[in-house]
């Protein structure tokens, strides 16, 4: 893909950090600090940043417990959303005054915070999808030029590499191909998928330039945003 920065101006970017890297079992402070450092560097290079954080093990543990207590799907989702906002608070703590001081609840509030020069950190919003979809919606509503997902898998594979050793990583694919890959996934609370189907459809519809990257690329975020090579998967607009 060509560089995303064509002049001296900054790029507006929405970043989604999977709970699988922020809180794989317990909160990973090293990872959270690395993310905060990269976001600081992005801001010092004049890029505009909006962030979304997933729930990880925290959401799964609580969703599982709620399920055993016979909570409804919507209640389980709501518990998952609460967990994403807990993790959002950790990233806010690491960012200090650069961040909007509490997890942002709406896209409008996120855009307002970004325009004031703060980094808004969102968790989930409403039941029925994951923070992948929240990030895609935020990227679209903020007119971000780029959407980047950071996950515990280093890109999109032809199948789940944890289950299928013959799965191959894709360097690039179209948004339409991504939609086809994830369409069969049932959207139950706590679902595990590289990009959830709701998010994939929004990326396709809004033609959002998207990268799916592994945790090890967090440090290189500014360079990748400015057009450097990366080891993940580029999702190209179109079919
Ligand atoms: P996550 O966004 O954390 O799921 O939402 P994920 O991206 O698959 O997983 P990680 O974080 O990378 O490990 C966890 C759960 O919270 C509910 C859903 O049940 C989701 O599976 N949720 C989250 C919502 O219902 N709405 C949201 O906007 C966000």
């Amino acid at each position: 893909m060509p560089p995303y920065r064509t002049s001296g101006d900054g790029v507006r970017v929405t970043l989604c950090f999977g709970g699988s890297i922020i809180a794989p079992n317990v909160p990973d402070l090293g990872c959270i600090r690395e993310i905060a450092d990269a976001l600081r560097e992005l801001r010092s290079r004049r890029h505009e940043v909006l962030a979304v954080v997933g729930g990880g093990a925290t959401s799964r543990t609580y969703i599982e417990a709620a399920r055993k207590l016979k909570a409804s799907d919507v209640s389980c989702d709501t518990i998952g959303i609460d967990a994403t906002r807990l993790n959002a608070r950790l990233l806010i703590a690491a960012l200090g005054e650069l961040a909007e001081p509490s997890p942002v609840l709406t896209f409008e509030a996120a855009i307002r915070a970004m325009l004031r020069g703060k980094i808004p950190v969102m968790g989930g919003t409403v039941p029925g999808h994951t923070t992948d979809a929240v990030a895609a919606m935020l990227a679209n509503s903020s007119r971000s030029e780029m959407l980047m997902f950071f996950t515990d898998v280093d890109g999109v594979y032809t199948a789940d590499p944890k289950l299928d050793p013959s799965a191959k990583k894709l360097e690039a694919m179209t948004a339409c191909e991504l939609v086809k890959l994830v369409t069969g996934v049932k959207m139950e609370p706590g679902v595990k998928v590289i990009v959830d189907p709701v998010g994939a459809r929004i990326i396709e519809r809004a033609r959002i330039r998207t990268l799916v990257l592994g945790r090890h690329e967090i440090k290189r975020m500014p360079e990748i945003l400015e057009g450097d090579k990366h080891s993940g998967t580029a999702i190209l607009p179109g079919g």
Side-chain angles (χ1 to χ4, degrees):
M1 269 209 268
Y4 310 109
R5 189 159 68 161
T6 50
S7 67
D9 296 336
V11 172
R12 185 172 295 175
V13 61
T14 296
L15 303 159
C16 185
F17 303 99
S20 55
I21 59 168
I22 293 233
N25 296 300
V26 292
D28 182 340
L29 301 190
C31 178
I32 295 168
R33 286 195 183 106
E34 239 177 69
I35 292 171
D37 289 345
L39 299 196
R40 266 188 218 105
E41 179 60 25
L42 287 176
R43 289 295 294 119
S44 75
R45 296 187 189 197
R46 300 190 173 279
H47 298 304
E48 293 177 307
V49 178
L50 306 105
V52 179
V53 169
T58 322
S59 67
R60 281 204 184 83
T61 306
Y62 275 80
I63 287 172
E64 215 37 63
R67 232 194 228 120
K68 285 182 185 150
L69 295 168
K70 308 251 181 288
S72 66
D73 281 348
V74 167
S75 298
C76 289
D77 281 339
T78 306
I79 284 172
I81 293 167
D82 287 343
T84 64
R85 290 181 181 158
L86 267 183
N87 286 342
R89 285 195 186 276
L90 293 180
L91 181 56
I92 289 167
L95 285 167
E97 289 190 354
L98 198 52
E100 188 68 4
S102 50
V104 175
L105 307 184
T106 67
F107 302 122
E108 288 82 357
I111 293 164
R112 276 196 296 271
M114 177 208 60
L115 292 174
R116 284 199 315 272
K118 294 285 182 187
I119 299 181
V121 184
M122 293 189 77
T125 52
V126 294
H129 50 64
T130 75
T131 46
D132 300 344
V134 175
M137 290 179 209
L138 181 59
N140 182 220
S141 56
S142 65
R143 301 274 180 233
S144 289
E145 289 144 88
M146 171 64 68
L147 168 61
M148 291 165 119
F149 290 98
F150 290 87
T151 76
D152 64 343
V153 185
D154 60 351
V156 182
Y157 282 71
T158 49
D160 185 344
K162 287 178 188 153
L163 306 174
D164 181 353
S166 70
K168 294 211 165 34
K169 185 163 72 179
L170 302 161
E171 240 177 68
M173 69 194 303
T174 64
C176 177
E177 286 166 342
L178 177 69
V179 167
K180 278 193 194 129
L181 189 74
V182 299
T183 282
V185 175
K186 194 170 162 229
M187 280 309 301
E188 51 193 8
V191 64
K192 193 94 186 97
V193 57
I194 185 76
V195 176
D196 87 39
V198 181
R201 283 197 181 282
I202 291 163
I203 290 168
E204 182 191 32
R205 186 180 74 171
R207 304 178 64 77
I208 306 167
R209 285 174 149 197
T210 303
L211 298 178
V212 180
L213 300 160
R215 183 207 182 295
H216 64 283
E217 293 284 41
I218 290 170
K219 282 197 178 112
R220 294 187 57 244
M221 204 184 294
E223 288 73 28
I224 293 172
L225 181 67
E226 291 168 8
D228 254 22
K229 278 201 170 141
H230 60 82
S231 61
T233 301
I235 316 288
L236 309 169

